Amino acid sequence: NAGVMQNPRHLVRRRGQEARLRCSPMKGHSHVYWYRQLPEEGLKFMVYLQKENIIDESGMPKERFSAEFPKEGPSILRIQQVVRGDSAAYFCASSPPSGATYEQYFGPGTRLTVT
Amino acid sequence: QKEVEQDPGPLSVPEGAIVSLNCTYSNSAFQYFMWYRQYSRKGPELLMYTYSSGNKEDGRFTAQVDKSSKYISLFIRDSQPSDSATYLCAINKGSTLGRLYFGRGTQLTVWP
């Protein structure tokens, strides 16, 4: 059973460009979460999505960041007009449809570097 | 005040030692308690989760929760060099509330 998949694993963008990060949850999972990990800091929650619904986006910056989980295809975290402070590791996690949202399984992450 | 506090270490122990990793949390509303292991430049790996106060054992790992003190622990018995990683505690307010609050992680090195 394949785990959570993320791509790309590494992404380099110049300031002002857009970054698109993709996440495919584990087979059978319908809940997706995005977290950001800055150097020397812990994982910080960004957003919680189910298919076609944003459940909790309280951790998302108000501007430039958006996320979606369409009916078909992977979840996308989109960062517009990237700045150097966006450089971080972005992790996606998924949980089973049982409602046990604390049981989150993480992908390998996308490391974003803004030059 | 942060929701969860964790000493970042680093912690260095000899092979075979018993390791104790700890976190404290601030809000009694938290109900679920998780431990993750993260190797360098990898994603976090779920080790254990628990709900109630008391102990939960899985092989060489034991998770302990004391809700009255808002204190959670992870014990690793017979530690191995392959246990060298960063250990993250995480807490959650309810089974349908997805957000996890993470500690900063404790970096553990087990030397042969």
Side-chain angles (χ1 to χ4, degrees), chain A residues 57-108:
Chain A
E57 57 181 345
S58 59
M60 287 277 271
K62 296 289 184 242
E63 297 178 351
R64 303 188 297 107
F65 285 73
S66 62
E68 63 175 3
F69 189 15
K71 187 176 180 181
E72 301 291 337
S75 175
I76 305 287
L77 179 67
R78 182 183 178 202
I79 311 172
Q80 295 178 290
Q81 299 173 4
V82 296
V83 301
R84 286 207 173 127
D86 296 332
S87 295
Y90 292 81
F91 291 97
C92 168
S94 70
S95 66
S98 61
T101 60
Y102 52 85
E103 190 181 343
Q104 296 182 20
Y105 298 89
F106 281 77

Side-chain angles (χ1 to χ4, degrees), chain A residues 25-76:
Chain A
M26 286 179 70
K27 187 176 181 181
H29 284 193
S30 55
H31 303 246
V32 165
Y33 315 83
W34 287 92
Y35 292 82
R36 177 165 62 176
Q37 189 171 42
L38 291 164
E40 306 304 322
E41 292 190 21
L43 282 156
K44 303 293 185 187
F45 169 82
M46 300 181 75
V47 63
Y48 164 28
L49 310 108
Q50 294 179 21
K51 288 281 189 182
E52 300 184 283
N53 280 306
I54 297 175
I55 307 301
D56 179 4
E57 57 181 345
S58 59
M60 287 277 271
K62 296 289 184 242
E63 297 178 351
R64 303 188 297 107
F65 285 73
S66 62
E68 63 175 3
F69 189 15
K71 187 176 180 181
E72 301 291 337
S75 175
I76 305 287

Side-chain angles (χ1 to χ4, degrees), chain A residues 40 58 99 101-102 104 111, chain B residues 32 36 41 95 98-99 104:
Chain A
E40 306 304 322
S58 59
T101 60
Y102 52 85
Q104 296 182 20
R111 281 162 179 78
Chain B
Y32 293 87
Y36 285 83
R41 304 190 70 77
S95 64
R99 180 175 188 155
R104 284 186 58 192

